[in-house]
Amino acid sequence: MDYKEKGKGEGEVERLKVRITLTSKIVASVERACREMVSKAKGLQAKVRGPVRIPTKVLRHTVLKTPCGEGTNTYDRFELRIFKRVIDIECSREEIKEITTMKLDPGVDVELTVES
């Protein structure tokens, strides 16, 4: 029995599925970064899904105002909101480098997950 090797043609480029997760405390900077990445990806004819808005995580911290604890109990309430966006892109390795090389605002975290 003859087995033929399954291989990619010489003209084909390996397409990767990439998930880009953007996280920040400032919603405008996350939206700006998403807009730039999606426009670059669409310009390179890559398949784009997103940005998908993940529900905002709200971290609340309640602190007693008085340092000694005497007197009436009054509290300060502090809140930190974390905004998250997910973009799925299907493209080649070279296109991933082109899409992700950009200047980001301070405080924007980017996580790349590559699935071949």
Side-chain angles (χ1 to χ4, degrees):
M1 294 174 85
D2 289 338
Y3 292 102
K4 293 186 180 179
E5 289 185 24
K6 286 186 179 179
K8 293 186 170 107
E10 291 179 20
E12 289 186 38
V13 179
E14 183 183 5
R15 305 290 283 185
L16 300 172
K17 291 180 182 178
V18 180
R19 176 164 282 179
I20 301 171
T21 306
L22 299 161
T23 308
S24 179
K25 296 182 276 185
I26 304 166
V27 71
S29 57
V30 172
E31 289 293 335
R32 188 177 310 115
C34 284
R35 201 175 322 115
E36 287 180 31
M37 284 189 186
V38 169
S39 66
K40 277 186 178 183
K42 285 184 179 178
L44 295 170
Q45 304 298 321
K47 288 185 182 179
V48 180
R49 272 183 239 108
V52 177
R53 288 156 179 83
I54 305 299
T56 304
K57 185 182 281 188
V58 180
L59 305 173
R60 291 187 178 96
H61 193 70
T62 306
V63 181
L64 188 63
K65 277 187 179 179
T66 59
C68 62
E70 293 181 19
T72 58
N73 291 335
T74 54
Y75 295 93
D76 275 331
R77 287 172 211 79
F78 298 102
E79 201 172 79
L80 176 66
R81 292 175 178 260
I82 299 173
F83 302 96
K84 200 178 218 183
R85 304 288 185 264
V86 175
I87 304 170
D88 289 327
I89 301 174
E90 190 174 324
C91 58
S92 66
R93 291 187 189 276
E94 292 78 26
E95 291 172 341
I96 292 171
K97 286 183 183 178
E98 287 183 40
I99 293 168
T100 56
T101 53
M102 59 186 287
K103 283 203 166 198
L104 294 173
D105 294 340
V108 177
D109 297 327
V110 178
E111 181 183 326
L112 278 174
T113 308
V114 180
E115 180 184 317
S116 55

